[in-house]
């Protein structure tokens, strides 16, 4: 059975739970006593919060009647008093009774961000070479916290790997100088390489032919498929839509457009934009 994250503190376990334990997770110390009615009001609220964060919080209860020496060490003047410890240091505290919402607001800066698990998943997917999954996970982290630099860099790198060059450049442009580390340099190198390789001789030749024969739907479809191969999906979709508008008899243009759209990673804004355009053309 998993060890409970709600413990009673004594002189014997105080060092282990508070100083050692707060290196791993946030420790909430609740100073209380049996005769204190507000303490009995507050304790169930703290216990409920602790039960919601079994891996991130330890609730350490100090009975001030039984542990007077500890209460004196902390200089507790009134009950209930609650202190938050992280890395062996007090990071916040309050006296009296507060609501669960008020306490959660105080706790939030010291708890892992909801974006963290998506960031970890994105890092793993990138390491495994799964650009589409990395993009989806990084996009979810970015949607939760668009100021998180790790999420921005991950999304930019996954965007390059998945051929979303314009989006990668936009994201890279938002990274301030102080954050332009080795990860940033790698992203910029990837963008440069991707731009160089995106203009293959086949694409250039087909672009020249399409310029000469602007009404040749077959050539446009061929060019669209080559662009898709080079991860230039936005241009590929745009060309296929052009064929659908001008040459409705070319049903394969719709099929290829759907294929390209369906291969876009979950969360890619291009996918929802392209689907809307496609449906408006169909109905």
């Amino acid at each position: 059975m998993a060890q409970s994250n709600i413990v009673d503190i004594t002189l014997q376990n105080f060092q282990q739970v508070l100083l050692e334990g707060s290196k791993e997770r946030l420790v909430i110390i609740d100073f209380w006593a049996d005769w204190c009615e507000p303490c009995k009001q507050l304790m169930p609220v703290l216990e409920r919060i602790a039960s919601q964060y079994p891996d991130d919080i330890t609730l350490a209860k100090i009975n001030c009647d039984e542990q007077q020496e500890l209460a004196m060490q902390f200089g507790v003047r009134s009950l209930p008093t609650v202190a938050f410890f992280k890395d062996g240091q007090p990071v916040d505290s309050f006296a009296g009774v507060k609501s669960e919402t008020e306490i959660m607001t105080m706790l939030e800066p010291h708890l892992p961000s909801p974006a963290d698990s998506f960031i970890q998943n994105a890092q793993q997917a990138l390491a495994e070479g799964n650009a589409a999954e990395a993009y989806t996970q990084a996009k979810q982290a970015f949607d939760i916290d668009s100021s998180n630099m790790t999420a921005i860099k991950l999304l930019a790198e996954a965007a390059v790997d998945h051929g979303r060059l314009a989006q990668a450049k936009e994201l890279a442009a938002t990274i301030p100088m102080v954050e332009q580390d080795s990860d940033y340099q790698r992203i910029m190198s990837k963008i440069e390489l991707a731009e160089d390789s995106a203009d293959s001789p086949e694409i250039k030749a087909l672009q020249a032919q399409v310029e000469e024969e602007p009404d040749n739907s077959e050539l446009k479809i061929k060019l669209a498929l080559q662009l898709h191969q080079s991860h230039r999906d936005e241009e590929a979709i745009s060309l296929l839509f052009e064929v659908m508008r001008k040459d409705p008899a070319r049903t394969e243009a719709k099929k290829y457009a759907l294929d390209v759209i369906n291969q876009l990673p979950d969360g890619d804004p291009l996918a929802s934009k392209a689907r809307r355009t496609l449906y408006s053309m169909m109905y």
Side-chain angles (χ1 to χ4, degrees):
M1 190 175 159
Q3 190 186 335
S4 166
N5 63 325
I6 300 175
V7 289
D8 291 308
I9 296 296
T10 62
L11 276 169
Q12 285 70 41
N13 68 356
F14 144 78
Q15 177 109 12
Q16 183 202 347
V17 174
L18 188 61
L19 301 180
E20 295 304 314
S22 67
K23 289 176 186 169
E24 313 261 309
R25 46 168 71 192
L26 182 69
V27 177
I28 301 175
I29 309 179
D30 177 23
F31 296 93
W32 69 285
D34 231 358
W35 48 263
C36 162
E37 282 307 315
C39 296
K40 290 175 185 173
Q41 244 179 294
L42 181 65
M43 196 177 285
V45 177
L46 295 174
E47 286 173 345
R48 192 161 58 246
I49 290 171
S51 71
Q52 288 165 17
Y53 293 90
D55 299 324
D56 304 312
I57 286 175
T58 296
L59 174 58
K61 300 196 258 186
I62 297 183
N63 182 330
C64 294
D65 285 342
E66 293 173 5
Q67 308 295 332
Q68 289 181 15
E69 198 180 321
L70 278 178
M72 281 168 66
Q73 273 186 36
F74 281 99
V76 175
R77 293 195 176 86
S78 65
L79 295 182
T81 289
V82 174
F84 305 146
F85 267 69
K86 196 89 191 264
D87 296 318
Q89 299 293 323
V91 289
D92 212 341
S93 64
F94 68 88
V97 178
K98 282 190 182 291
S99 71
E100 187 167 341
T101 309
E102 288 173 310
I103 297 167
M104 280 311 301
T105 303
M106 293 177 78
L107 287 175
E108 237 160 58
H110 312 296
L111 289 173
S113 153
D116 288 351
S117 62
F118 292 116
I119 284 172
Q120 284 171 358
N121 293 344
Q123 285 167 333
Q124 191 177 340
L126 263 184
E128 290 167 1
N130 188 342
E133 182 62 16
Y135 183 97
T136 300
Q137 296 292 332
K139 182 73 167 62
Q140 286 183 273
F142 178 79
D143 287 345
I144 290 168
D145 182 3
S146 60
S147 63
N148 185 314
M149 274 300 141
T150 308
I152 291 170
K153 287 174 190 173
L154 275 169
L155 184 56
E157 187 161 1
V160 185
D161 290 355
H162 206 76
R164 307 250 75 52
L165 284 186
Q167 188 184 14
K169 286 165 98 171
E170 272 174 40
L171 288 162
T174 68
I175 298 171
M177 188 77 79
V178 69
E179 287 286 345
Q180 290 178 11
D181 54 8
S182 58
D183 288 337
Y184 171 83
Q185 301 304 336
R186 186 177 65 252
I187 292 161
M188 296 313 289
S189 299
K190 278 189 171 189
I191 289 172
E192 203 175 314
L193 279 170
E195 282 183 324
D196 290 346
S197 65
D199 262 340
S200 68
E202 291 85 355
I203 288 175
K204 284 181 175 169
L206 281 166
Q207 282 172 328
Q209 285 178 275
V210 167
E211 270 179 44
E212 282 173 27
E213 301 176 55
D215 296 326
N216 189 327
S217 297
E218 195 176 336
L219 276 176
K220 283 183 180 173
I221 291 171
K222 274 186 184 170
L223 174 56
L225 295 178
Q226 282 291 337
L227 289 165
H228 171 53
Q229 289 296 318
S230 293
H231 296 302
R232 292 166 66 176
D233 292 325
E234 194 157 6
E235 292 167 85
I237 290 167
S238 176
L239 254 184
L240 291 166
F241 284 172
E242 203 179 297
V243 174
M244 282 174 69
R245 286 191 190 97
K246 290 186 176 174
D247 194 352
R250 286 268 176 191
T251 53
E252 70 267 41
K254 185 180 100 176
K255 178 197 172 297
Y256 289 137
L258 269 170
D259 286 345
V260 175
I261 293 165
N262 290 335
Q263 283 175 39
L264 295 171
D266 290 344
D268 189 335
L270 175 59
S272 48
K273 181 180 149 194
R275 278 197 184 95
R276 280 197 303 273
T277 308
L278 185 63
Y279 294 145
S280 70
M281 287 161 69
M282 286 160 63
Y283 304 108

